Amino acid sequence: KYNISSIEREMMARLVYLESNTESLECQMAIASVVINRWESGVWGNTIASVIYYPYQFSPSGLIYKTTPTETNYAAVDHVLRNGPTIPSYVMYFRADWGFSKIWDGYAEYHKIDNTCFGYFVKDKE
């Protein structure tokens, strides 16, 4: 479904490792889906790299260069690349352990997977 370079695939797998390696495959696929949703939106740039390294978005992105993904991380990324995002296109955010609606006005929770809450900016759903 998505034709990205091997370098971009590697970056996504490394980000999935950094953001959700202790979580389930379902959660890891949702993290990869957030990257794809942001890429398709164009708000964070038109490349996977621009999405991943967009300022103040994925806090561990500075550690990508020294991260080694697992087979599960690659499986999560490959599933999303082959089949499309596992969450709706308007879901472009996630947070650990707590939801969005309690901390940011204009945001809403979509779903919690393991210890990660996925959410969206209400105007993006309209």
Side-chain angles (χ1 to χ4, degrees):
K1 183 165 175 112
Y2 297 100
N3 186 17
I4 65 171
S5 72
S6 60
I7 292 170
E8 291 170 318
R9 176 183 177 257
E10 184 69 22
M11 288 172 62
M12 283 183 68
R14 289 176 182 212
L15 182 69
V16 167
Y17 175 90
L18 290 165
E19 292 283 11
S20 63
N21 192 49
T22 60
E23 306 293 339
S24 67
L25 177 61
E26 178 188 10
C27 184
Q28 292 182 40
M29 289 188 298
I31 297 290
S33 296
V34 165
V35 174
I36 294 297
N37 287 349
R38 286 180 173 207
W39 178 45
E40 288 191 311
S41 79
V43 173
W44 290 270
N46 60 359
T47 66
I48 296 294
S50 65
V51 168
I52 289 174
Y53 289 110
Y54 199 87
Y56 311 110
Q57 296 302 304
F58 298 109
S59 55
S61 63
L63 301 173
I64 283 178
Y65 71 97
K66 61 180 182 178
T67 300
T68 303
T70 67
E71 289 305 312
T72 303
N73 305 142
Y74 287 114
V77 169
D78 290 344
H79 177 86
V80 171
L81 293 176
R82 272 193 313 273
N83 302 299
T86 60
I87 56 177
S89 61
Y90 58 85
V91 178
M92 293 187 257
Y93 303 91
F94 59 87
R95 295 184 59 81
D97 285 325
W98 63 90
F100 292 89
S101 56
K102 298 175 184 139
I103 57 169
W104 292 334
D105 286 338
Y107 285 83
E109 267 184 55
Y110 165 70
H111 187 59
K112 184 174 181 179
I113 304 172
D114 302 331
N115 294 308
T116 304
C117 293
F118 293 85
Y120 59 94
F121 197 48
V122 174
K123 72 172 182 61
D124 293 334
K125 186 178 178 184
E126 297 170 348

